[in-house]
Amino acid sequence: MGDLKTKKGIKKVLYGNHAVSYGVKVSRAQVISAYPITPQTQVVELLSEMVGKGELDATFVNVESEHSAMAVCIGASITGVRTFTATSAQGLLLMHELLHWAAGDRLPIVMAVINRAVAAPWSIWSDQNDSLSQRDTGWMKIYCESNQEVLDSVILAYKVSEKVFLPSMLVLDAFILSHTAEPVEVPAQEEVDEFLPPLELPHALTPEKPYAIGAVVMPDGPYMELRYKIQKAMEKAIPEIEKACNEFYELFGRKWEFVEEFMMDDADVVLITSGAVSSTVKYTVNEIRKREGKKIGVLRMRILRPFHFEKIRKILSGRKKVIVLDRNISFGLGGIFFNEIRSSLYSVSEKPILLGYIWGLGGRDITPKDVEGVIKDAEKREKDEDIIFWGLKKENINL
Amino acid sequence: MLEVRFHGRGGQGAVVASKVCANACFKAGYYPLAFPQFGVERRGAPVQAFLRIHKPEENLFIRCNIYEPDIIVVLDMTLLEMIDVTEGLKENGKILLNTPQSPENIKFNKNFEVYTVDATQIAVKYKLGSKIQPIVNTAILGALAKIMNIFDMENLSYAIEEEIPYKTEENKKAAEEAFNSIKGI
């Protein structure tokens, strides 16, 4: 018996973290550098084991911090090799400066971020603020719901990053995906090779083609134009992502798009989610539909950058109520997904009632009861409300 | 959907048990989700692990903690003195305990189906872990196979082969022995 052979690979029961490692393996990453941090550690443990056993032909560089891990990836990537790293929370924040460097140098680095709450106070549980605090660094961002999506998204991230020369961050929830084991198809190497050819970096630094990178540019120098080009690359990424997802679907039979629409055809009320909690939301919406026939649907945001304004606008036009569920907050503004959704609705003539809920911060569990509660609460509201905290515990407020 | 909660102490293998069990369920055609208590584990401290099993035709999954399990597995009887291991267990739910006692001698406040297996003795016999800290997870899984009735011993053997690289044969034998010696069936 052993692993279950499928048409395109084998099926295994994998932790989300190990799904990342397998995705990196079949993508044939050549340089991996990382510093361990809970809950990311398993990702690089397995990768170092794969490299040690000779199953993955890569150089594994141990470093003393996340800042150095990203620096190694940048240095390696500029020579035209495929690079990978992974981190969480404080580790990602320590990398922050270099994330701008990676995008500014137009390097197709792929990184897994295991979403973990940012201190203070210390928390190791799921919360999106770590990845979202890197929103404007020029990285593409993919939010995953399942371990299969995690593995597939590694491959897709390299594919798109190496078309538009921008780095990609794929995001999975701490523990809820990272430490949850579920069946995952690991695609066969030859199938992935067909989909993902070796990296060809046009601006690769080689002994034959030496040049200086990132040197100072005067105000009339090309700084502004390089920023313009990053924006253009993000715009180009939209059709490239669509193309890559279609090609992936044809090869592997799994469709990952910009957004996932669940029971949306006739939905008057739309719940907008991202990440692993989307499963619980979809499950509950299906139960409520079966029981009460309410016209509720779910829109799952998969890719946050580039932001597909046109698509979101089209999907949400004509809906009566839009409920955005954020496991994050921009203090003084509100839910981050909420505000992006709101800006995409600016030019819609008949705007839906827009409600922004903040929930699940610091790993607070989100159950079907919470989803039902939010839906009931939203039914009572007939005007926009930007920030509604869901599930606050009174005993924790008056400490 | 069937929900299982494992109680053990850090080092006994409760988390690995949930993963091996998930793999055995997967081999039997089910869709499992296995996850540890989302915390920081230390050797000897009480730990929990969870398993949610879906039938092949189910395609929507919940991703949150388990509050009202159908089955509870206790790897260490001393935990009964510290915590209410039956918390949330459904009426007529099943509870499997690692103890040499018979189920009739163990009483709970509510109506549960109680099963026992001497997993410690079996683990010591096959030299799994040490005498003081035996690793009882594979033995308990053999007994669990009989209660759950979802996967068979062949599924479990293959899952052990994949998940447990150390003393694989001894672990398989321990599971087999527990399967045959569970009390309460």
Side-chain angles (χ1 to χ4, degrees):
Chain A
M1 199 187 300
D3 288 323
L4 199 72
K5 278 208 167 60
T6 56
K7 237 167 140 184
K8 295 287 179 179
I10 50 165
K11 265 198 166 184
K12 287 171 171 295
V13 176
L14 290 181
Y15 289 120
N17 276 341
H18 290 167
V20 175
S21 316
Y22 276 97
V24 174
K25 180 180 179 238
V26 294
S27 298
R28 294 186 188 275
Q30 292 159 291
V31 172
I32 300 158
S33 183
Y35 187 81
I37 181 171
T38 300
Q40 155 266 31
T41 312
Q42 293 172 325
V43 175
V44 285
E45 267 175 1
L46 183 57
L47 280 170
S48 84
E49 199 180 309
M50 287 166 167
V51 173
K53 283 183 181 165
E55 294 166 3
L56 173 60
D57 184 15
T59 304
F60 193 101
V61 186
N62 281 308
V63 284
E64 82 296 348
S65 76
E66 288 84 357
H67 191 275
S68 299
M70 185 49 68
V72 168
C73 287
I74 290 171
S77 182
I78 195 72
T79 69
V81 300
R82 197 168 278 159
T83 55
F84 177 80
T85 188
T87 191
S88 292
Q90 316 300 124
L92 180 65
L93 304 184
L94 189 58
M95 272 184 193
H96 174 69
E97 179 204 358
L98 289 164
L99 298 195
H100 286 279
W101 273 102
D105 285 346
R106 305 293 303 273
L107 300 174
I109 298 165
V110 172
M111 165 163 65
V113 172
I114 324 303
N115 258 174
R116 159 183 155 174
V118 170
W122 285 117
S123 167
I124 55 169
W125 291 273
S126 184
D127 186 303
Q128 295 176 327
N129 257 88
D130 58 351
S131 62
L132 288 168
S133 72
Q134 309 305 315
R135 192 190 58 177
D136 302 333
T137 51
W139 285 58
M140 294 187 279
K141 281 171 203 72
I142 312 159
Y143 284 80
C144 299
E145 183 196 347
S146 67
N147 293 354
Q148 184 70 62
E149 186 180 351
V150 165
L151 191 152
D152 292 348
S153 295
V154 176
I155 306 166
L156 279 162
Y158 280 114
K159 178 89 170 181
V160 178
S161 275
E162 293 174 7
K163 288 275 182 204
V164 300
F165 306 111
L166 285 176
S168 285
M169 187 185 292
L170 70 116
V171 184
L172 53 149
D173 299 71
F175 300 105
I176 306 168
L177 286 187
S178 71
H179 286 63
T180 295
E182 65 179 318
V184 175
E185 185 182 68
V186 181
Q189 187 64 60
E190 58 273 21
E191 301 281 345
V192 180
D193 288 345
E194 194 184 321
F195 179 76
L196 186 65
L199 165 63
E200 281 181 39
L201 190 71
H203 57 295
L205 180 65
T206 62
E208 296 75 40
K209 207 182 77 180
Y211 72 102
I213 306 146
V216 67
V217 283
M218 302 304 282
D220 281 331
Y223 187 94
M224 185 162 167
E225 288 69 26
L226 287 169
R227 288 302 186 258
Y228 165 80
K229 283 184 179 177
I230 292 176
Q231 172 57 28
K232 286 290 147 193
M234 276 285 182
E235 287 167 22
K236 187 186 165 201
I238 289 179
E240 287 294 347
I241 289 166
E242 277 166 350
K243 212 172 108 192
C245 289
N246 285 334
E247 201 185 314
F248 191 91
Y249 175 66
E250 275 167 33
L251 254 169
F252 299 103
R254 289 184 291 274
K255 194 144 205 171
W256 306 115
E257 297 185 272
F258 259 90
V259 293
E260 181 197 347
E261 295 176 71
F262 178 80
M263 298 191 149
M264 283 289 284
D265 287 352
D266 62 345
D268 295 327
V269 176
V270 180
L271 287 113
I272 301 189
T273 71
S274 59
V277 72
S278 310
S279 296
T280 309
V281 175
K282 287 190 284 183
Y283 175 91
T284 314
V285 163
N286 183 53
E287 292 295 311
I288 295 173
R289 276 226 181 215
K290 274 195 295 190
R291 203 176 59 218
E292 300 166 37
K294 284 180 187 165
K295 290 181 176 173
I296 320 170
V298 182
L299 177 67
R300 176 169 74 92
M301 301 292 292
R302 207 175 99 72
I303 296 175
L304 185 70
R305 286 292 181 278
F307 195 88
H308 204 326
F309 275 109
E310 199 188 320
K311 194 166 197 118
I312 304 294
R313 202 175 289 140
K314 211 169 138 193
I315 292 169
L316 295 181
S317 286
R319 311 286 177 173
K320 287 186 183 143
K321 204 172 264 179
V322 170
I323 302 164
V324 188
L325 303 159
D326 272 294
R327 198 172 209 151
N328 62 72
I329 182 165
S330 172
F331 301 116
L333 179 70
I336 296 170
F337 280 88
F338 172 82
N339 278 285
E340 309 233 333
I341 298 291
R342 174 157 65 182
S343 71
S344 70
L345 290 173
Y346 182 75
S347 60
V348 172
S349 53
E350 280 182 47
K351 289 190 182 59
I353 295 168
L354 199 54
L355 302 170
Y357 287 83
I358 310 281
W359 66 356
L361 301 185
R364 171 111 3 127
D365 201 24
I366 299 166
T367 67
K369 266 187 201 153
D370 290 308
V371 182
E372 286 219 50
V374 162
I375 292 169
K376 279 202 184 113
D377 183 79
E379 276 170 7
K380 292 182 286 184
R381 296 179 188 270
E382 286 309 322
K383 60 178 178 51
D384 289 1
E385 190 72 44
D386 295 1
I387 308 173
I388 307 159
F389 275 88
W390 185 260
L392 289 178
K393 290 179 191 277
K394 272 191 194 130
E395 66 269 29
N396 287 351
I397 290 179
N398 304 315
L399 284 175
Chain B
M1 187 169 71
L2 187 78
E3 295 180 320
V4 186
R5 186 171 74 214
F6 295 82
H7 288 274
R9 288 182 182 276
Q12 287 181 321
V15 174
V16 173
S18 69
K19 172 99 191 287
V20 176
C21 193
N23 199 337
C25 293
F26 167 62
K27 298 219 181 303
Y30 288 74
Y31 191 98
L33 293 169
F35 46 96
Q37 181 186 36
F38 302 146
V40 193
E41 283 86 32
R42 288 155 294 138
R43 187 163 294 272
V47 295
Q48 293 179 26
F50 304 91
L51 180 62
R52 192 178 272 127
I53 306 153
H54 305 85
K55 286 179 190 153
E57 65 271 22
E58 290 178 73
N59 58 7
L60 291 170
F61 316 120
I62 308 171
R63 294 183 193 273
C64 66
N65 294 341
I66 289 174
Y67 297 95
E68 291 176 353
D70 302 278
I71 300 175
I72 281 170
V73 182
V74 181
L75 277 66
D76 189 317
M77 286 297 275
T78 63
L79 290 168
L80 268 62
E81 297 155 22
M82 292 174 64
I83 50 170
D84 176 15
V85 294
T86 64
E87 191 186 353
L89 179 61
K90 287 196 181 106
E91 186 83 21
N92 298 318
K94 296 172 183 180
I95 179 159
L96 170 63
L97 303 161
N98 170 21
T99 171
Q101 296 184 63
S102 286
E104 305 85 63
N105 301 332
I106 298 158
K107 295 279 172 266
F108 290 101
N109 297 338
K110 283 190 199 156
N111 210 13
F112 301 127
E113 289 180 29
V114 182
Y115 302 88
T116 63
V117 68
D118 195 353
T120 300
Q121 182 263 327
I122 295 169
V124 170
K125 178 179 167 187
Y126 290 102
K127 296 190 168 59
L128 302 170
S130 66
K131 265 188 186 168
I132 303 160
Q133 285 188 317
I135 301 170
V136 297
N137 57 3
T138 44
I140 212 96
L141 286 179
L144 188 57
K146 206 157 210 173
I147 302 177
M148 282 172 76
N149 209 14
I150 280 179
F151 57 91
D152 58 21
M153 283 309 291
E154 199 191 352
N155 298 139
L156 182 56
S157 285
Y158 282 118
I160 290 173
E161 271 175 29
E162 280 177 29
E163 306 287 346
I164 303 179
Y166 183 68
K167 291 197 178 173
T168 308
E169 285 310 308
E170 289 88 338
N171 276 295
K172 281 159 67 173
K173 279 183 193 151
E176 187 78 42
E177 193 164 324
F179 183 81
N180 293 321
S181 63
I182 180 174
K183 293 176 205 161
I185 300 286

